[in-house]
Amino acid sequence: MANTIKGLMKYLHGGHDATIGYKPELKKKPDISAYSRVVLGTPVWAGKMSAPLASFIDAADFSGKEVFSIISSAGGPTKKCAGQIAAEVQKKGGAVKAVESFVNPLRRGEVALEKIKAFAKNL
């Protein structure tokens, strides 16, 4: 029972952080200057990107970068999250070139694996 409560609290905490726009402090500022293409991945928390990814995007310089997003949801839509990532990356000088979304990827593991392989070929 304790693990269930801990898991539920983490779920509620993550959704709350995403909803209020909380950006946790990163231990180290990301340096992506050596890359022309960047892959960002996030779960959907309350319809938005995770708070740690929001912090990463806020701290990084995406000037001239091509960005590819991978979004995973336990059941809800991913379109709002994809739009949020694209808008934030654009503010930082980059452009999202492709998005791959997964809804309940663990329930359809083989389908998710094939989708991610196809997505990776286009990077």
Side-chain angles (χ1 to χ4, degrees):
M1 182 72 169
N3 285 339
T4 303
I5 294 172
K6 183 178 179 181
L8 177 62
M9 291 308 294
K10 286 174 69 175
Y11 173 80
L12 293 173
H13 184 56
H16 172 265
D17 288 352
T19 299
I20 66 167
Y22 174 69
K23 295 178 183 172
E25 184 178 340
L26 300 176
K27 291 181 181 179
K28 184 177 165 185
K29 183 177 178 178
D31 179 7
I32 58 173
S33 61
Y35 307 99
S36 60
R37 292 178 171 175
V38 178
V39 177
L40 301 176
T42 187
V44 175
W45 287 357
K48 299 180 178 188
M49 72 173 121
S50 66
L53 181 61
S55 294
F56 182 90
I57 293 172
D58 192 51
D61 179 7
F62 285 90
S63 297
K65 308 288 184 201
E66 293 182 338
V67 177
F68 300 83
S69 299
I70 300 171
I71 302 169
S72 177
S73 170
T78 60
K79 187 175 182 178
K80 180 179 174 183
C81 180
Q84 180 190 23
I85 292 169
E88 294 302 314
V89 165
Q90 186 175 13
K91 286 180 192 174
K92 300 293 289 189
V96 173
K97 296 296 183 178
V99 177
E100 185 60 76
S101 297
F102 299 91
V103 178
N104 286 320
L106 296 178
R107 290 190 181 162
R108 298 184 307 237
E110 289 182 24
V111 172
L113 182 58
E114 291 307 312
K115 282 178 70 174
I116 201 68
K117 285 180 182 179
F119 184 76
K121 286 181 183 180
N122 293 318
L123 297 179

